[in-house]
Amino acid sequence: MMDLQKFFDRSSVEVARALIGSELTFAGAGGIIVETEAYEPDDPASHSFRGVTPRTRTMFGAPAHAYVYRSYGIHWCLNFVCRPGSAVLIRALQPTVGLQQMEIRRGKTDPLLLCSGPGRLCQALAISIEHDGLFLSQPPFTLTPPPISPIIDTGIRIGITKAVELPWRFGLHGSAHVSRKFA
């Protein structure tokens, strides 16, 4: 069994890379993590850059918690808290468990449209603000490390306007389930 507290108590860049290939389920639905992005406290693209606010309070808590926020007033986004002020955005999953539930929630049957993007992922898994701050080591979450070390693609983060040059986006090499192909 993985010691999640120890696993997450390090740089979000290390954690984002290490999460690729892990299995994530939430209340019986989920799949393989195929895309992540890292955010650090001194990173101008990070929510934590300006310090603790009611929205970012969870990011400054203990490692191994979910940080959930609303993006553009539309979509929920799931992040995993690492060291204080840092987190990993879970950008995409390859769905493997609870497909029927995810299809109903998304109104889609194409597996490529279920969890390829942070908003789609949260809709498919039914993750919302009520899950902010939950421990990743307890239900409804399960997180299992990859059985083998996968080949990982690295690229710049997407969907942001600051610190876009940082190569802190990671993906499972060759996965069709990433939100956007790696260059």
Side-chain angles (χ1 to χ4, degrees):
M1 176 123 189
M2 177 175 180
D3 180 348
L4 290 184
Q5 195 76 19
K6 185 176 178 182
F7 177 83
F8 284 100
D9 191 13
R10 54 191 175 141
S11 157
S12 65
V13 177
E14 290 177 60
V15 173
R17 180 180 263 294
L19 282 169
I20 299 299
S22 298
E23 182 180 54
L24 167 66
T25 63
F26 181 84
I32 305 302
I33 297 174
V34 297
E35 186 183 3
T36 59
E37 283 181 350
Y39 291 88
E40 286 286 301
D42 61 350
D43 169 8
S46 178
H47 291 172
S48 65
F49 186 68
R50 290 198 165 92
V52 180
T53 67
R55 178 187 192 192
T56 65
R57 186 178 2 183
T58 302
M59 282 187 79
F60 290 92
H65 282 78
Y67 165 53
V68 180
Y69 67 88
R70 178 89 75 182
S71 177
Y72 302 111
I74 302 169
H75 305 288
W76 297 112
C77 293
L78 174 64
N79 297 259
F80 293 165
V81 176
C82 300
R83 289 188 173 149
S86 66
V88 173
L89 172 63
I90 308 304
R91 286 200 58 86
L93 295 179
Q94 176 182 333
T96 58
V97 180
L99 287 151
Q100 187 174 24
Q101 289 175 291
M102 290 189 270
E103 289 171 354
I104 291 167
R105 291 173 184 147
R106 289 275 305 126
K108 309 277 184 197
T109 56
D110 182 349
L112 294 176
L113 298 177
L114 294 179
C115 300
S116 60
R120 290 175 177 176
L121 183 151
C122 283
Q123 184 181 22
L125 299 183
I127 292 174
S128 69
I129 194 65
E130 70 185 65
H131 306 109
D132 183 53
L134 294 182
F135 285 102
L136 299 174
S137 59
Q138 298 175 350
F141 287 102
T142 62
L143 186 62
T144 308
I148 59 168
S149 295
I151 298 171
I152 298 172
D153 292 328
T154 302
I156 59 172
R157 298 175 297 181
I158 55 179
I160 58 173
T161 58
K162 298 175 182 170
V164 295
E165 73 285 353
L166 295 174
W168 290 356
R169 178 174 165 243
F170 304 97
L172 182 63
H173 180 71
S175 175
H177 295 273
V178 295
S179 64
R180 191 179 302 166
K181 291 183 180 184
F182 284 76

